[in-house]
Amino acid sequence: MINPFFKNCGPIYINKLLQLSDIISNEKFSDIIVTDIKDLVTADKENITFFHSKKYEEFALKTKAAFCVTTSNLSHVLPKHCKAIIVDNVLVATATITKIFYPGAVSDGFDINVKDINETTFKDKIRFGKNILLGQNVNIGKNCSIGHNSIIESNVIIGDNCSIGSNVIIRNTIIKNNVSILDCCVIGKKGFGFFPNNEKNIRYPHIGIVIIEDNSEIGCGSTIDRGSLSNTIIGKNTFLDNQVHIAHNNKIGNNCVIAGQVGFAGSSTLGNNVIIGGQAGISGHLKIGNNIQIGGGSGVLKDIPDNSKVMGYPAKDIKKFIKDNR
């Protein structure tokens, strides 16, 4: 369920795909069809993937992908069945290939096809305020409510017993049952993913979605970006305070409590039963374990093992932090 809302323009013959991507390969592959681009973990034998950092070596070793965009110094890690596509800049090449498969995911403008809720079948099924707009491919469950001036844009599924506040914008999102989205949240927009360039920065498509599991709450003014090549997930019974930012590809576990103004960079994984104090910052591509407590104002720059309590910048064991700051 990585990209259920974006149209895949595949399958594409690998040689044609490389040609369209302006990738020159010394090896001419036979007429092999590639159906999709996926990350190292979810790719299968008909997919192309990418491998750009030694940090993901354990996933590269096990990938089932037929092809992998990578660099010459990383290509030896790949299993024999996975053919390396050698490039200078893996992420730029990956962005180009993703645009070929999913051209509709590049633009993130407003939904021109929205309708006033009074013009839809939902007018008799849910409670709603004034000036509510609904896009295409929207499904809303039983006993739900939507506040004033909210826009549920295209590609949204909302479960039963959900409350959507006022001035909320949601797109490309699956919301499970008994979820509360408070006022002024923006959920499912593309993430802050681009490649800096002196003339024009290069954006890459975000073909993932946001998934918010049962019994969760998203506080006022919070923003949750959809994933790039994987999904952004908020676990069951997890509560976000006001003005929390969850960047693309983050996986937040179950029963977590995240206080106000906490910010997550992209692609980190948070375990279950994690408590984070206000104004803490979590860097990208980290693994935060289960049963963690992170003090307010902390800066987390490294992985944190299970059952830890940390605080400070950079975040360290709380006993050491207290000792160092007496």
Side-chain angles (χ1 to χ4, degrees):
M1 201 201 321
I2 288 177
N3 41 43
F5 299 139
F6 297 101
K7 182 180 178 181
N8 183 340
C9 291
I12 305 172
Y13 285 107
I14 183 63
N15 290 332
K16 180 65 172 178
L17 180 63
L18 299 182
Q19 179 184 355
L20 291 172
S21 306
D22 293 324
I23 296 174
I24 299 173
S25 175
N26 293 328
E27 184 175 355
K28 296 300 180 183
F29 302 102
S30 59
D31 289 339
I32 300 174
I33 288 178
V34 178
T35 62
D36 205 349
I37 181 167
K38 294 184 179 180
D39 59 43
L40 289 163
V41 176
T42 60
D44 62 31
K45 62 182 181 180
E46 295 183 334
N47 297 155
I48 187 169
T49 188
F50 70 101
F51 175 37
H52 71 292
S53 171
K54 197 171 177 63
K55 185 169 185 176
Y56 300 101
E57 183 172 345
E58 63 175 303
F59 302 119
L61 284 166
K62 300 176 182 178
T63 188
K64 297 178 181 178
F67 298 95
C68 181
V69 178
T70 189
T71 58
S72 57
N73 63 324
L74 292 174
S75 60
H76 69 279
V77 176
L78 298 171
K80 291 183 179 180
H81 66 264
C82 185
K83 304 296 183 183
I85 308 295
I86 306 300
V87 298
D88 293 329
N89 191 315
V90 173
L91 295 181
V92 170
T94 301
T96 302
I97 292 171
T98 306
K99 289 178 184 178
I100 293 169
F101 276 108
Y102 297 95
V106 178
S107 175
D108 212 39
F110 64 88
D111 186 353
I112 63 173
N113 296 308
V114 293
K115 294 181 179 180
D116 187 285
I117 192 171
N118 290 296
E119 300 175 15
T120 73
T121 58
F122 294 109
K123 64 182 175 61
D124 299 321
K125 298 179 180 179
I126 64 173
R127 292 173 286 118
F128 58 91
K130 296 180 179 179
N131 195 30
I132 307 301
L133 301 178
L134 302 183
Q136 295 180 331
N137 194 25
V138 169
N139 189 26
I140 304 174
K142 300 175 182 177
N143 194 34
C144 291
S145 63
I146 303 177
H148 306 299
N149 304 313
S150 287
I151 307 174
I152 312 301
E153 295 193 353
S154 58
N155 304 324
V156 175
I157 299 173
I158 299 174
D160 297 334
N161 306 310
C162 291
S163 173
I164 310 299
S166 298
N167 301 301
V168 171
I169 299 176
I170 305 174
R171 64 169 62 174
N172 302 308
T173 296
I174 296 175
I175 298 172
K176 301 293 183 67
N177 300 320
N178 307 305
V179 172
S180 293
I181 310 293
L182 276 60
D183 297 349
C184 300
C185 289
V186 179
I187 299 173
K189 297 280 283 185
K190 65 184 178 184
F192 196 59
F194 64 92
F195 310 107
N197 185 291
N198 290 333
E199 295 182 1
K200 184 179 180 181
N201 294 332
I202 303 171
R203 275 279 190 179
Y204 62 82
H206 282 64
I207 62 173
I209 63 174
V210 173
I211 300 174
I212 302 176
E213 299 285 358
D214 295 341
N215 305 316
S216 294
E217 180 173 294
I218 312 300
C220 294
S222 293
T223 50
I224 305 175
D225 296 339
R226 71 177 185 264
S228 53
L229 280 180
S230 62
N231 297 325
T232 302
I233 300 174
I234 309 298
K236 293 180 180 179
N237 198 40
T238 284
F239 274 45
L240 275 57
D241 194 3
N242 300 336
Q243 298 179 335
V244 171
H245 176 63
I246 309 293
H248 58 197
N249 305 331
N250 279 293
K251 310 290 188 292
I252 310 297
N254 302 330
N255 305 310
C256 294
V257 178
I258 301 172
Q261 298 184 335
V262 169
F264 286 79
S267 302
S268 284
T269 301
L270 204 70
N272 301 323
N273 308 308
V274 176
I275 299 174
I276 304 179
Q279 296 187 327
I282 313 298
S283 292
H285 303 275
L286 298 182
K287 184 176 181 180
I288 312 300
N290 300 305
N291 309 309
I292 304 292
Q293 294 183 25
I294 300 172
S298 297
V300 180
L301 307 180
K302 297 180 180 180
D303 294 351
I304 302 177
D306 291 349
N307 307 307
S308 299
K309 296 181 181 180
V310 301
M311 191 170 185
Y313 185 91
K316 62 180 76 173
D317 181 82
I318 196 165
K319 291 181 181 179
K320 189 175 189 312
F321 174 83
I322 293 172
K323 181 180 178 181
D324 292 343
N325 290 274
R326 283 178 176 172

